[in-house]
């Protein structure tokens, strides 16, 4: 999608993988996230592996947008689990945790979210049998 985000959809496993290719501005961030939602909806996907290891923490307005606008959109899909792969950046990890805590009441009983430091751990959690 454009020059800043890569997607792979696997309809057999019901999985989408997205990866930021560079840091993006607010408009690109929101466009990329909304495009992800579109693909999740169109392909009836259940799992999202989201590689944000090349992305810096979203600004405060994007954090609010993610919690108040984007997360409710995700809960209207059949998505069950989202695994984020984060860099070792402590600020990004803190922001991701703050967003997760704020989104928990919205996601309750509908969507699970965890963050990881590597693809292997994210895949293991995504595909574990519950």
């Amino acid at each position: 999608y454009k020059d800043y985000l890569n997607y792979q959809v696997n309809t057999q496993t019901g999985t989408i993988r997205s990866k930021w290719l560079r840091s993006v501005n607010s408009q690109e961030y929101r466009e990329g996230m909304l495009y992800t939602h579109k693909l999740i909806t169109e392909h009836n996907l259940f799992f999202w592996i989201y590689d944000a290891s090349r992305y810096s923490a979203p600004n405060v307005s994007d954090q609010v947008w993610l919690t108040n606008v984007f997360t409710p959109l995700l809960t209207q899909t059949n998505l069950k689990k989202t695994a984020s792969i984060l860099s070792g950046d402590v600020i990004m990890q803190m922001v991701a945790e703050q967003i997760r805590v704020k989104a928990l009441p919205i996601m309750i009983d509908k969507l699970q979210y965890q963050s990881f430091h590597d693809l292997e751990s994210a895949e293991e959690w995504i595909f574990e049998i519950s």
Side-chain angles (χ1 to χ4, degrees):
Y1 183 75
K2 306 212 178 184
D3 69 336
Y4 51 85
L5 198 50
N6 184 328
Y7 290 93
Q8 296 175 334
V9 172
N10 183 328
T11 55
Q12 290 184 325
T13 62
T15 306
I16 184 169
R17 296 169 190 259
S18 65
K19 181 176 185 171
W20 294 107
L21 301 176
R22 62 173 171 82
S23 287
V24 294
N25 62 39
S26 184
Q27 179 182 344
E28 292 170 328
Y29 175 75
R30 293 179 189 202
E31 284 177 5
M33 297 300 272
L34 289 172
Y35 188 71
T36 303
H37 173 264
K38 179 182 177 199
L39 292 174
I40 290 167
T41 302
E42 285 178 357
H43 296 284
N44 192 32
L45 302 173
F46 300 105
F47 308 112
W48 179 16
I49 299 174
Y50 171 58
D51 187 340
S53 60
R54 291 190 181 168
Y55 181 67
S56 55
N59 65 39
V60 174
S61 70
D62 286 339
Q63 293 173 39
V64 170
W65 177 85
L66 187 67
T67 303
N68 296 338
V69 176
F70 188 71
T71 300
L73 288 175
L74 287 181
T75 63
Q76 296 171 19
T77 70
N78 287 321
L79 197 65
K80 302 294 180 209
K81 288 183 173 182
T82 299
S84 291
I85 302 167
L86 305 177
S87 68
D89 178 39
V90 175
I91 293 172
M92 179 65 166
Q93 292 173 16
M94 287 173 37
V95 168
E97 180 59 17
Q98 289 173 353
I99 291 169
R100 186 188 72 78
V101 168
K102 289 177 183 172
L104 275 176
I106 300 165
M107 298 184 310
I108 197 135
D109 296 331
K110 179 69 177 152
L111 178 63
Q112 296 178 53
Y113 169 84
Q114 290 287 343
S115 60
F116 301 90
H117 296 295
D118 60 83
L119 176 61
E120 183 178 280
S121 299
E123 287 177 334
E124 186 175 302
W125 178 75
I126 282 282
F127 297 117
E128 74 183 3
I129 297 172
S130 302

